[in-house]
Amino acid sequence: MPTLGDKSEIWKFLLDSSSIVLTTHVRPDGDGIASELALYMILHSHGKEVYIVNQDKTPEMYSWLPEAGRIISLSQNQSLDIDSIDLTLLIDCSSQNRIGNVYDLVKNSNHIISLDHHEGNDCFRDYCYIDTTASSIGELLFSIVPDIGRYLNKEIAACLYVSIMTDTGSFAYSNTTGNVLLIASRLIEYGLNPDQIYKMIYNRKRITHFRLLGRTLQLMETDESGKVVWVLLPLSVYSDTGAVEEDTEGILEVIRGLKGLELIILLRQLDSEWMKCSLRSINSIDCSHLARIFNGGGHFKAAGFVIKGNVEVSGRSIVANIMEEAKGRGWL
Ligand code: 5GP
Ligand code: MN
């Protein structure tokens, strides 16, 4: 089902509330953060009391976005101090556990609703609107906010543009539709400089990113057909290179360039307990299906999951299980 729910209901919930918390998933990405900020500014102009609360810190690459300084990150020991919350809106999250420990803070909100574009969203509380055909939440906001043009200014346009740009791989993925390009061109009219925005996001990487990239490329393994590439990254790779979580951004984009590739499996150690797997499909392998087997989720061509364990101990068997499932389905 490409859409679930009625888009006008989301806007009604927002208009009927005075104190609103916006939140997105753990390890937030450009879509989650930039669409939170765009919606923050839109709702603020309506006189709403709005807070953005995320579990994890805003990555450096997005910290220059307008109003990004307002984002409360629980992992940075920041907290939200208000008596009651009328409404919490989950943005870009397919399930309650995706917001991490923000849930404890917002669970007593009068309403909790969700706006999403992932496959397999479990609509767990009061309302959700899901459109899996939307490239990004930024694009979705164009159908959620009635007459969005009356709110647009350079700052809001920049956030919406970043949301769409980051979730379409800079307008390169198959979710780059005519509508996406129409919206992008409309946003640019507010004085945006696409070249500058791209540089601010992707061309300010730390040297540790490149050290991690080098190690990752050396560790690439492929199956006999060359259709599957996997990389297992233990914690030692991070400690040896000085890389941190954020430095992983962009690595999959490099691997994507390999000839004949159908599936990328990047499994990295997050800490002593947890591993994170990112899946990317080039053509017709359903990553969202593969990730859901491990209680994760995502989109057809980009999905992921976190799982307990050690990459060096169980990494290979996870890769084998994923490949077996893909073969069983006739995808490989
Ligand atoms: P990434 O690999 O870049 O972290 O995520 C790719 C896509 O999969 C994103 O749309 C993201 O929301 C989704 N995803 C990644 N990790 C998880 C996870 O642990 N659970 C769920 N439900 N989705 C995930
Ligand atoms: Mn998204």
Side-chain angles (χ1 to χ4, degrees), residues 252-315:
L252 285 158
E253 292 313 304
V254 177
I255 299 176
R256 201 185 269 282
L258 184 70
K259 189 178 175 186
L261 193 61
E262 289 294 335
L263 179 67
I264 308 172
I265 307 169
L266 177 70
L267 187 65
R268 63 186 203 271
Q269 194 75 39
L270 288 178
D271 54 34
S272 57
E273 231 184 322
W274 293 93
M275 303 178 282
K276 157 95 201 214
C277 184
S278 287
L279 300 170
R280 295 293 185 271
S281 144
I282 310 303
N283 294 302
S284 51
I285 296 180
D286 184 353
C287 292
S288 150
H289 168 83
L290 297 172
R292 271 184 272 154
I293 294 171
F294 298 88
N295 293 321
H299 307 282
F300 191 93
K301 290 189 173 176
F305 58 88
V306 286
I307 185 167
K308 271 195 175 168
N310 187 289
V311 161
E312 284 163 313
V313 179
S314 50

Side-chain angles (χ1 to χ4, degrees), residues 311-329:
V311 161
E312 284 163 313
V313 179
S314 50
R316 282 182 196 283
S317 74
I318 291 173
V319 170
N321 288 344
I322 294 170
M323 282 172 59
E324 204 176 307
E325 175 66 20
K327 277 186 188 142
R329 300 222 152 229

Side-chain angles (χ1 to χ4, degrees), residues 102-275:
V102 175
Y103 188 69
D104 290 333
L105 195 89
V106 300
K107 63 182 179 217
N108 295 325
S109 307
N110 291 338
H111 295 105
I112 303 186
I113 62 171
S114 146
L115 178 61
D116 190 28
H117 68 137
H118 291 97
E119 310 270 348
N121 184 311
D122 52 351
C123 196
F124 71 100
R125 266 276 298 257
D126 305 317
Y127 201 77
C128 62
Y129 180 67
I130 303 147
D131 181 355
T132 60
T133 67
S135 63
S136 53
I137 302 298
E139 183 184 2
L140 253 186
L141 287 178
F142 271 76
S143 44
I144 295 298
V145 182
D147 196 10
I148 197 168
R150 65 197 156 117
Y151 303 99
L152 292 183
N153 55 29
K154 190 174 180 182
E155 286 71 36
I156 297 176
C159 291
L160 292 170
Y161 183 88
V162 167
S163 153
I164 297 170
M165 181 188 118
T166 54
D167 257 21
T168 57
S170 305
F171 309 103
Y173 298 159
S174 54
N175 57 3
T176 309
T177 58
N179 189 45
V180 160
L181 294 175
L182 274 175
I183 291 176
S185 103
R186 196 172 155 195
L187 294 172
I188 289 168
E189 294 301 314
Y190 287 86
L192 306 186
N193 182 341
D195 159 66
Q196 196 61 26
I197 290 178
Y198 184 92
K199 282 185 192 145
M200 287 299 282
I201 294 181
Y202 295 118
N203 293 355
R204 295 189 305 140
K205 294 188 175 87
R206 294 158 14 114
I207 189 83
T208 46
H209 159 81
F210 295 93
R211 300 212 162 101
L212 178 66
L213 174 65
R215 287 290 292 274
T216 307
L217 299 181
Q218 280 179 331
L219 291 170
M220 270 168 65
E221 299 181 60
T222 82
D223 69 338
E224 284 163 12
S225 69
K227 289 183 180 170
V228 186
V229 158
W230 62 93
V231 184
L232 305 177
L233 292 181
L235 275 185
S236 58
V237 168
Y238 286 85
S239 52
D240 292 352
T241 55
V244 295
E245 168 78 19
E246 277 182 54
D247 292 317
T248 314
E249 176 71 38
I251 287 180
L252 285 158
E253 292 313 304
V254 177
I255 299 176
R256 201 185 269 282
L258 184 70
K259 189 178 175 186
L261 193 61
E262 289 294 335
L263 179 67
I264 308 172
I265 307 169
L266 177 70
L267 187 65
R268 63 186 203 271
Q269 194 75 39
L270 288 178
D271 54 34
S272 57
E273 231 184 322
W274 293 93
M275 303 178 282

